[in-house]
Amino acid sequence: MTDAGSDKPDEPPRPPAIVPVLLIMVSSLSILSGDLYLPSMPLLQTVFSADAGQVQLTISLNLAGFALGMLVWGPASDRFGRRPMFVVALVLFALASLACAAAPSISTLIAARFLQGAAASAEVALGFAVIRDLYRDKDAVRLLALLGMVIAVVPMLGPVAGGYILAWFGWQANFILLAAGGGVAAVAIRLWLPESNPDRDRHALRPYVFLSTYARIWWNRQFVVMAGLSGLGFAMLMTFITVAPFYVIDVHGYAPETYGIYQGAIVAGYIVGSLFAHRMVARLGLAGLLTTGVWVSVAGGVGLVLLVVTGLDGPLPIAGPMSLAVFGLALIFATAPLQALTAVSGRAGAASAALGTTESGIASLAALAVGLMSVGSAWPIALGVAIPAAGALALLLVLGRRYLATPQAGDA
């Protein structure tokens, strides 16, 4: 249909302005569940008489729970709706956070962190689905870039706040704060998030449909390539987050409450990259942004390796190339996930879950690998960024170019 006196088709209704705010809220909570307690990690070795490898499992197995949980949240949202599953996940997140605070041993904390990650994963599986349900490609890219820019502030503030909360109230207080945040977010989602999936698929959770849907998604080569690029980018970020607190606090003697300032200086590169993606998507298109992001991340990884090889590494020198790498990650995260979802038709919840599981699975394996390395040097950080960056470049050059969407300027 057209408006009287106009030959232009009606525009779809604009999503409510509250939607990005709610997505930022739940995404920030999910990120804080990983970042808020980072300054506490070295202390937990003493609290639980554990070694660094055991404490690092609270990160890597949290990622594993994150990866596996999405496989359920996605199809469940196709069956029951996005909003109800968001509410259920946030309530479970609050309960798992309380279990972390009450953990009597490192084993219990690891298990609770796994459950916390499984609940927090709904943010990715359902958030991507809501964006795909409500926004067109150009608007979706800009929203993803805006979300990336805003949410990038959270890793800057999270460790700073976590360090002071640790110093003033103890490590358990970080998890109690997360539990409270989960409860508030559950109420906000229930009240104000519009349901974006009116057409429920009552067969989505049947075993045959469940398995065949994921088989079809992961058989799609374009999806696998784009999800792989996004996952390798996530691996660069998570390996740094896993190792950096020990390297900066234990090896170089930074105070836990100041570690977040150091990480914040690096995350500033992500904010600049998100601004760049938001402004340049119309000119460069999705393909141009993604290609630029991969090459810039590779440059950051090469810079890290050169610093270690030449003996010029240290927390401050590393911040330069690491900031360059995360600038590139911002471009990858604003484009690759959207192109992965565009490659799959139908069952947006399952497609979003498969994307998130691929990302978190790759990142979890990378975090486990660097966790096995000694944190007495900067090599785990350098290799944890350089190797995934090289893998992303190889994937882009060998397979990715044939699948890149290349819209004209202004149509991205």
Side-chain angles (χ1 to χ4, degrees):
M1 295 180 62
T2 59
D3 296 330
S6 171
D7 59 357
K8 293 183 179 180
D10 291 335
E11 288 289 325
R14 225 181 225 297
I18 193 68
V19 172
V21 176
L22 294 171
L23 294 179
I24 288 170
M25 177 191 298
V26 294
S27 296
S28 298
L29 193 63
S30 178
I31 294 169
L32 280 175
S33 70
D35 283 349
L36 198 62
Y37 94 120
L38 287 178
S40 302
M41 290 177 67
L43 174 65
L44 294 180
Q45 295 180 82
T46 302
V47 171
F48 294 118
S49 300
D51 58 37
Q54 289 176 303
V55 175
Q56 286 171 352
L57 284 175
T58 63
I59 291 287
S60 54
L61 289 187
N62 177 268
L63 279 174
F66 205 88
L68 295 174
M70 278 182 280
L71 294 176
V72 177
W73 295 121
S77 75
D78 289 332
R79 171 65 182 89
F80 298 109
R82 316 293 186 219
R83 184 172 61 188
M85 290 300 98
F86 251 136
V87 173
V88 170
L90 287 165
V91 170
L92 292 177
F93 175 85
L95 294 174
S97 298
L98 290 176
C100 289
S105 67
I106 189 65
S107 298
T108 306
L109 179 61
I110 290 170
R113 283 282 292 165
F114 177 88
L115 295 175
Q116 188 189 45
S121 67
E123 174 270 320
V124 174
L126 306 184
F128 276 135
V130 168
I131 291 173
R132 176 174 156 176
D133 291 341
L134 297 179
Y135 296 89
R136 291 184 171 183
D137 281 357
K138 180 174 67 174
D139 293 330
V141 170
R142 286 176 172 156
L143 176 55
L144 286 170
L146 176 63
L147 286 170
M149 179 180 63
V150 174
I151 295 170
V153 176
V154 177
M156 297 172 63
L157 301 179
V160 175
Y164 283 105
I165 291 171
L166 169 66
W168 295 339
F169 304 108
W171 65 271
Q172 296 97 330
N174 286 308
F175 291 111
I176 293 172
L177 183 62
L178 289 171
V184 171
V187 173
I189 290 292
R190 177 63 183 85
L191 292 177
W192 297 308
L193 182 70
E195 178 54 60
S196 64
N197 179 28
D199 301 319
R200 311 295 169 79
D201 182 355
R202 59 192 181 90
H203 303 297
L205 290 174
R206 292 184 178 181
Y208 172 77
V209 175
F210 184 91
L211 295 174
S212 62
T213 297
Y214 281 120
R216 179 175 60 83
I217 292 170
W218 275 311
W219 190 255
N220 184 308
R221 292 185 180 182
Q222 180 176 353
F223 175 87
V224 170
V225 169
M226 294 302 162
L229 287 170
S230 188
L232 288 166
F234 195 33
M236 299 179 219
L237 183 63
M238 292 311 300
T239 52
F240 174 79
I241 288 174
T242 299
V243 177
F246 295 94
Y247 177 72
V248 174
I249 296 172
D250 280 359
V251 177
H252 289 276
Y254 278 52
E257 57 266 31
T258 62
Y259 169 75
I261 299 173
Y262 171 78
Q263 181 168 308
I266 293 172
V267 173
Y270 191 95
I271 297 175
V272 175
S274 296
L275 278 170
F276 180 86
H278 186 269
R279 291 181 177 274
M280 298 300 291
V281 60
R283 180 177 300 180
L284 297 179
L286 275 67
L289 283 178
L290 179 56
T291 302
T292 302
V294 171
W295 278 105
V296 171
S297 294
V298 169
V302 170
L304 287 170
V305 171
L306 289 176
L307 282 177
V308 180
V309 169
T310 57
L312 299 176
D313 58 293
L316 293 180
I318 281 175
M322 192 66 211
S323 297
L324 186 64
V326 297
F327 177 96
L329 294 185
L331 308 189
I332 295 172
F333 292 155
T335 51
L338 180 62
Q339 294 204 70
L341 294 179
T342 301
V344 180
S345 60
R347 294 198 173 97
S352 298
L355 170 63
T357 297
T358 303
E359 291 176 336
S360 299
I362 294 172
S364 179
L365 292 175
L368 280 170
V370 298
L372 298 175
M373 301 176 66
S374 169
V375 294
S377 74
W379 273 117
I381 294 175
L383 295 179
V385 174
I387 292 176
L393 180 60
L395 185 60
L396 178 70
L397 295 179
V398 175
L399 297 175
R401 289 187 179 278
R402 64 180 295 190
Y403 297 124
L404 286 177
T406 53
Q408 298 298 315
D411 297 328

